[in-house]
Amino acid sequence: MPSGVDLVIFGASGDLSRRKILPSLRHLAARNGTGLRVIGAGRSSPSQQEFRDLVNASSGSSELASTAEWVQLNYKDPASFAPVKSLIDGGGTAIFYLATPPETFSDILGAVGHSGMATKGDPSRRIVVEKPLGHDLASARKLNLQLAASFDEEQIFRIDHYLAKDTVQNVLALRFSNSLFEPVWNRNLVETILITAAEEEGIGTRAGYYDHIGAVRDMIQNHVLQLLALVTMEPPTTFDADYIRRAKRAALRAMSPLDPSLAVRGQYEGYLDEKGVSPESTRETYAAARVSIENWRWDGVPIFVRSGKALKRRATEIVIKLRDAPMLRIGGRRQRGIPTLIVIRIQPDEGITLRIGAKRPGVRFEMVPAGMRLDYARLTRTALPDAYENVLSEVLAGGHSAFPGGEEIELSWEIVDSLLKAWESEGHPEPYQVGSWGPQAADDLVAKGGGGRWIISGDEPGTA
Ligand code: BG6
C-alpha cells in the first residue's frame, strides 16, 4: 500500500459504509500500519466525535477512528467540497468511494472533477463506484462518460463484489491451471451450463432500492453475467487484469440479447405486503433466462441462469453438465450412464464437486453417482477473506483484476436491455412460494430448452 492514503467515502454514514466498507478496513489498516485515513463525507451532519465513534464501532479499529474526519456536503453545491480538497491536498493517494444512491453520482463526480481534486491520468487519484452502474444501457453509457471526464480507465474501480469472492477467482484457477478440464470445456462435451444465484432472504428493509430494480438489474446484469463470462471465456494470454478483461469482453460480446420468450419473471408470494413495496408492484424478485453464446466454443449449448430472493436456500453455483457416455452395456442390458457434473460452489460451502458414475461396491455390477469433493476452506487455516476486503486491498494496490471494465458493463446491459424493456409492458410476474426454487415455468424453460433440469448440489445424487 502506498504510504499516506486518504479514503474519502461519500455516504460514509450510510448502510453500505457501515455494513461493508468500514468493517473491511479493520484488517487492511492493521496489515498496512497507520497510513490509512478515512474521510467521511455526506449530507448528514454527525459531529467529528460521532463519526469517529461510528468508524470505531463499524471497523473495530480505534486507530482508524482516531484520525477519521467528517465533511458535511451539499452534493448540489460544489463549493461545499472545498474542505475535502484541503484535507487531501499535500500529497499521498486519495481514493474517492461513491457509497451513495446513484442519483447523486452525477453531482459528486462533477464536483470532484471541477474542484481539481481529481486529475485525469494521475494514478494517485482513484475513484470507486458501486452498482447500480446505470439502470439500462443508455444510463450506463452516460455514467461511463461522466467517469471518463475526470478519470482514466486505470483510475476507475467499478465494484462487482462477486469478482472479489475467492471462489470466483478460483474459477480461473480451475479452468486454466489444470489440463484436465479445458479439453472438455466446449460444445463437444458440455451438454449444458446452469448458473444459480439463490438467496433465502426476501428483500428485508431494502424495498426503496429493490422495488425499482428487480432481480435482473440487481443480480443478473452484473454478478451472474460476470460469472458466466469467466466460465465461458477463452484462456487469457496472461492472468493480468487487462487480458482477463479482454477475454471477458469477447465472451460477453458473443452472448445474444436475452429473448423474452426464453425467460421467466417471478415474484414471491407476500412481496406486495413487504414494507415500502408499492401494492401494485410488478417488480420481479426472481428471473431465469436462457443465454445463447454464438461462438465456436459454445454455439448450440443451452445455457441457463437464474437468480431470486426468498428461495429454498442460499446457494450460488455453476454446474457444467457433460454429455452422457455413448453407451454402457452391463450384463447384456444397455444402461444409461451417469452424467458427469462439474459443480463450482461459489457459496456457501465453497468448493468444487466432480460428480461421476462409479460401481456400487458389491457382487453386482451396478452404477451409482459418486462425488469427488474439494472443500475450499480446507485449503487454508484462516477464514476466507471477505469480498470487500479483497476489493479494497486491490484498490489500494492499484490492481484491476477483480473489477469489470467500463465496456463490460455496457456489454452486459446490451444483453439484458431488451428483456427489461419487454417486461415493462407485461402484467404481473408469476407468483412463487417463499422457500421454493421459484416458478414452475423456470423448470419448464430448462426442460424444453434441452438443459434437463436445474441442478443444485446437495439435492443432486452424488453431490452432497
Ligand atoms: C448485492 C445485491 O449486489 O448482492 C443484493 O444488491 C444481494 O440484493 C447481494 O443480496 C448478494 O451478495 P452475496 O455476497 O450475499 O451473495
Side-chain angles (χ1 to χ4, degrees), residues 69-138:
E69 302 279 349
W70 178 265
V71 176
Q72 190 183 2
L73 297 176
N74 170 0
Y75 295 145
K76 298 260 174 231
D77 174 15
S80 71
F81 287 66
V84 179
K85 183 167 185 315
S86 333
L87 281 166
I88 64 169
D89 271 352
T93 299
I95 298 168
F96 305 102
Y97 195 131
L98 264 61
T100 51
E103 58 276 12
T104 63
F105 285 6
S106 170
D107 289 333
I108 298 176
L109 286 171
V112 167
H114 290 130
S115 64
M117 280 193 275
T119 320
K120 203 168 155 72
D122 174 358
S124 75
R125 294 289 177 266
R126 301 176 194 162
I127 180 109
V128 182
V129 270
E130 278 277 345
K131 68 177 254 278
L133 300 173
H135 194 72
D136 53 15
L137 178 59

Side-chain angles (χ1 to χ4, degrees), residues 20 131 161-162 165 199 206 209-210 218-219 222-223 309 314 316 347:
K20 298 284 190 185
K131 68 177 254 278
H161 77 284
Y162 269 57
K165 288 180 191 272
E199 293 182 88
R206 295 171 75 218
Y209 159 81
Y210 197 88
D218 190 44
M219 295 289 294
N222 35 69
H223 308 320
K309 302 255 183 217
R314 177 169 182 252
T316 303
Q347 59 189 28

Side-chain angles (χ1 to χ4, degrees), residues 361-382:
V363 282
R364 285 177 50 198
F365 199 103
E366 202 184 325
M367 300 298 291
V368 281
M372 296 161 73
R373 187 180 162 116
L374 161 75
D375 283 321
Y376 203 54
R378 289 193 166 195
L379 296 181
T380 167
R381 280 168 193 271
T382 53

